[in-house]
């Protein structure tokens, strides 16, 4: 097994499962507690390679340093008030528009050349502001912003923030585009202005004045675009479509003269620091009192309230969101046609699956050819692949062994793409970048996903729940480390023990393989296109590397572990329940190497005599499921199990007419092992003998190691474990044809270490 790499001290890197994460402390100068900042910032480098993680950590540190510098500036200026910023931007736009409008009004008659020259000047302005946005260089804006701030009655020094300067540059770029339209006689607010004038004709004017009229009303709406993107103009809404537009966007000319106010320019602040709600009409904001605040629900103005003090810790926005995710009912959001298929939560018969794949809807999908297959919604394509793999319901062994894993991939993929793209995409619309992000997010899914009520839901929801749990665990560990003075090594050791376990590399690769099969099936049946998952799925070499770095996830119990388990009350205390699975299943696994499902589904008739030997007959059939075809085998019963009364138990259960050897109910996925695994886990926790990586499957490892220590031949060991032999000679002439008496002697070589347990029968 390859040794896991160790991060250099001071790098801030640590492992979460197989992925490197970087932890960066917030500078003490920012006073995290006083300014409601996190004490630490943690980011995933999305790689398991240490050299790549070091490079990614360097980029993260550089970005955070810039953010910390901006935070120092904003904290020093006490954070700019959003209403003041919008007032300044409004005045800035008014000044630029008024100057250009005055130039046009005084230009006299203009020919095409003069119009083109005016447009060229505005295009130069537009290019200058966009270049400033691209380079983050706003020195030429300082004077304009200072003048606008002074005229708006807000402190100019508070407007020097780089975020505010970017918004000012965006505003002037929008003004330049509006001026280009006006040079051609196109005014964005003309229609709303005419409607306001016509409506004003029905009411008397409030006042008249001889002063110059107010600047031309405008309605420039800069959409919420990413910083640096070109804003788009929106035509002012008509009074019929938006009654509020009558009074807010435009006023009658006479009223505007008597009560001049800025034109309506709706410019939301798109910035990570200044988060303001989208306001439809900015004109009202300028006239608001300085102590007013915005209600984001109804956009109404309310007097500012005194700040409320609370002893509760500050909760970040991301954490509050994940807590809302935990509180609400977690149900998949993917409305799909394939949701009509029979639920896989209950075992279905072959006839039911055949009927499903012969419904009119599925028959129409199966008839599709050519590029039409690429137009299928992703969930329907997955259902079609389910049919192809199961030979449309007739491949019973695949349905029993692989359907659960395939359905897990289907649920993860459909919910992820719906939440990521907003709707169920067509197969042709799934981009390579989307698939890469899906594969990356697979590593964040908790390994107990879909195994309990607390971890049900869409892929994004279960990841959010797991991330929140990790965040809380990390904070507790950090506080404990500060209190007790732990070393960095001790901190990392304790953290790894508390973090949520995520999907193992093998499970992630299985989901990738299933999704790759969907695209491969579409490409094969359509005779068109290429499978994009070929560029995304892990290579076998990379998978082996991840498994080596992860190390052994399951280990044998060993002599000490078995002694601790078999000395607990379930095995030593008297009990009236002679068919208790908690008693028999670990013992059978210890001396036969059976899987949990193979043992729990045993019928009384499966413990029988054959060729003078008592055997466990492991086989498929109605109600039974095997992991593979190689799992079908006959295992001689060890003498220790005979002493404990396994044959007498089988005879009693058969006489009682019981179908199963043990009283175990099926779980929600139709398996016996799902419920029993929880019981076995909880029992070991209650007896304080639980150890990570040592579960029920560990008893199979003990069985194999005992056979190897007893020098049992390799082919016989593989056969008794239910694995496949790759050698043709061994497959055709090997252990499957071995005399049961010889196999019995091999099994009995395992030394009994449960002689202290009294027989149940």
């Amino acid at each position: 097994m390859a040794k896991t790499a160790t991060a250099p001290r001071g790098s801030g890197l640590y492992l979460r499962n197989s992925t490197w994460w970087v932890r960066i402390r917030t500078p003490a100068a920012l006073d995290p507690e006083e300014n409601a900042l996190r004490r630490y910032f943690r980011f995933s480098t999305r790689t398991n390679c240490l050299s790549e993680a070091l490079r990614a950590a360097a980029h993260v540190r550089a970005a955070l340093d810039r953010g910390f510098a901006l935070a120092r500036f904003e904290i020093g200026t006490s954070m700019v008030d959003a209403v003041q910023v919008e007032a300044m931007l409004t005045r800035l736009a008014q000044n630029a528009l008024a100057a250009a409008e005055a130039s046009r009004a005084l230009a006299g008659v203009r020919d095409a050349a003069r119009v083109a020259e005016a447009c060229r000047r505005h295009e130069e302005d537009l290019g200058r502001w966009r270049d400033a946005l691209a380079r983050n260089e706003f020195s030429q804006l300082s004077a304009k912003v200072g003048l606008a701030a002074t005229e708006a009655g807000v402190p100019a020094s508070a407007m020097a923030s780089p975020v505010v300067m970017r918004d000012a540059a965006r505003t002037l770029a929008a003004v330049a585009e509006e001026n280009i339209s006006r040079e051609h006689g196109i005014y964005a607010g003309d229609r709303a202005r005419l409607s306001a004038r016509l409506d004003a004709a029905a009411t008397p004017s409030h006042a008249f004045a001889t002063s110059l009229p107010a600047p031309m009303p405008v309605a420039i709406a800069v959409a919420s675009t990413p910083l640096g993107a070109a804003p788009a103009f929106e035509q002012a809404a008509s009074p019929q479509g938006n009654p509020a537009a009558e009074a807010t966007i435009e006023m009658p000319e006479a009223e505007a003269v008597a009560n001049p106010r800025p034109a309506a320019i709706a410019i939301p602040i798109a910035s990570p620091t200044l988060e303001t709600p989208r306001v439809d009409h900015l004109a009202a904001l300028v006239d608001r009192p300085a102590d007013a605040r915005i209600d984001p629900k109804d956009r109404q103005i309310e007097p500012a309230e005194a700040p409320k003090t609370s002893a509760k810790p500050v909760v970040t926005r991301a954490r509050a969101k994940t807590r809302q995710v935990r509180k609400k009912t977690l149900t998949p959001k993917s409305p799909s046609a394939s949701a009509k298929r029979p639920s896989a939560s209950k075992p279905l018969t072959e006839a039911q699956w055949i009927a499903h794949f012969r419904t009119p809807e599925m028959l129409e999908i199966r008839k599709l050819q050519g590029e039409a297959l690429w137009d299928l919604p992703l969930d329907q394509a997955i259902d079609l692949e389910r049919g192809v793999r199961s030979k449309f319901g007739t491949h019973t062994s695949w349905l029993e062994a692989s359907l659960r894993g395939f359905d897990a991939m289907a649920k993860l993929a459909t919910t992820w793409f719906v939440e990521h793209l907003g709707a169920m995409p067509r197969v042709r619309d799934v981009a390579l970048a989307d698939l890469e992000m899906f594969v990356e997010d697979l590593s964040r899914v908790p390994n107990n996903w879909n195994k309990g009520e607390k971890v049900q839901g869409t892929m994004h929801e279960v990841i959010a729940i797991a991330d929140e749990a990790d965040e809380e665990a990390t904070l507790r560990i950090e506080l404990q480390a500060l209190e007790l003075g732990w070393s960095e090594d001790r901190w990392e050791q304790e953290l790894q023990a508390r973090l949520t376990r995520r999907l193992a590399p093998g499970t992630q690769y299985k989901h990738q393989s299933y999704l790759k099969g969907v695209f491969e099936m579409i490409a094969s049946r359509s005779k068109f296109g290429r499978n994009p998952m070929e560029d995304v799925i892990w290579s076998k070499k990379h998978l082996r590397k991840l498994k080596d770095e992860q190390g052994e996830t399951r280990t044998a119990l060993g002599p000490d572990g078995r002694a601790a388990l078999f000395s607990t009350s379930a095995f030593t205390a008297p009990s009236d329940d002679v068919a208790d699975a908690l008693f028999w299943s670990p013992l059978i696994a210890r001396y036969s190497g059976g899987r949990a499902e193979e043992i729990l589904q045993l019928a009384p008739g499966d413990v029988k005599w054959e060729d003078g030997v008592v055997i466990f007959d492991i086989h498929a059939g109605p109600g039974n499921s095997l992991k593979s075809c190689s799992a079908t085998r006959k295992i001689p019963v060890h003498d220790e199990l005979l002493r404990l009364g396994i044959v007498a138990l089988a005879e009693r259960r058969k006489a009682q007419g019981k179908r199963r050897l043990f009283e175990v109910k099926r779980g929600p996925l139709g398996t016996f092992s799902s419920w029993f695994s929880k019981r076995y886990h909880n029992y070991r926790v209650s007896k304080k003998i639980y150890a990570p990586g040592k579960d029920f499957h560990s008893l199979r490892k003990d069985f194999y190691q005992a056979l190897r220590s007893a020098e049992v031949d390799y082919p016989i060991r593989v056969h008794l474990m239910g694995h496949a032999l790759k050698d043709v000679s061994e497959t055709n002439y090997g252990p499957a044809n071995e005399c049961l008496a010889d196999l019995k002697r091999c099994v009995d070589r395992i030394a009994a270490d449960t002689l202290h347990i009294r027989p149940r029968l």
Side-chain angles (χ1 to χ4, degrees), residues 204-215 251-262 287:
S205 300
H206 297 287
F208 295 89
T210 57
S211 58
L212 290 175
M251 292 190 302
E253 184 175 7
E255 184 178 354
V257 173
N259 302 290
R261 68 182 184 186
D287 298 329

Side-chain angles (χ1 to χ4, degrees), residues 120-349:
R120 186 187 61 78
R121 289 195 300 270
H122 294 310
E123 288 173 353
E124 290 177 353
D125 291 339
L126 178 60
R128 181 164 65 254
W129 303 133
R130 287 183 175 174
D131 180 66
L133 286 167
R135 295 188 297 108
N136 271 335
E137 205 287 311
F138 305 110
S139 58
Q140 54 189 330
L141 265 176
S142 300
K144 294 179 180 292
V145 170
L147 177 62
T150 301
E151 293 178 355
V154 298
S157 60
M159 298 295 147
S161 165
V163 177
V164 177
M165 299 300 283
R166 287 190 65 85
D167 289 324
R170 292 178 61 195
T171 301
L172 290 178
V175 168
E177 290 184 332
E178 171 67 9
N179 276 325
I180 293 173
S181 298
R182 291 187 177 193
E183 295 296 346
H184 295 287
I186 302 172
Y187 286 72
D190 277 354
R191 183 173 298 178
R193 184 184 186 192
L194 176 61
S195 298
R197 286 175 181 269
L198 294 176
D199 292 340
T203 58
S205 300
H206 297 287
F208 295 89
T210 57
S211 58
L212 290 175
M216 183 69 67
V218 295
I220 305 176
V222 182
S224 297
T225 56
L227 292 178
F233 290 99
E234 297 177 358
Q235 188 173 1
S238 65
Q240 292 82 359
N242 184 3
E246 292 183 48
T248 308
I249 294 184
E250 298 294 340
M251 292 190 302
E253 184 175 7
E255 184 178 354
V257 173
N259 302 290
R261 68 182 184 186
I265 306 178
I267 308 177
I269 308 300
S271 110
T273 305
L274 301 174
E275 298 184 3
T276 60
R278 182 177 179 85
V279 183
D280 292 331
H281 312 299
L282 189 63
L285 288 177
V286 183
D287 298 329
R288 293 175 183 171
D291 61 344
R293 66 178 176 85
I294 302 172
D295 185 352
K297 294 183 179 179
D298 54 14
R299 309 292 196 267
Q300 299 299 319
I301 308 302
E302 300 177 1
E305 299 179 359
K308 298 180 180 180
T309 59
S310 173
K312 295 183 178 180
V314 176
V315 179
T316 62
R317 196 176 301 105
R319 188 180 302 177
K321 183 177 180 180
T322 56
R323 288 183 178 175
Q324 293 173 2
V325 169
R326 172 175 287 182
K327 291 179 181 178
K328 70 179 181 179
T329 302
L330 299 180
T331 53
K333 301 178 181 179
S334 53
S336 62
S338 63
K340 300 178 182 178
R341 71 173 186 82
S343 172
S345 61
K346 297 180 180 180
L348 301 177
T349 63

Side-chain angles (χ1 to χ4, degrees), residues 110-117:
R110 300 190 302 174
D111 56 12
R114 295 184 64 186
V115 171
E117 176 63 21

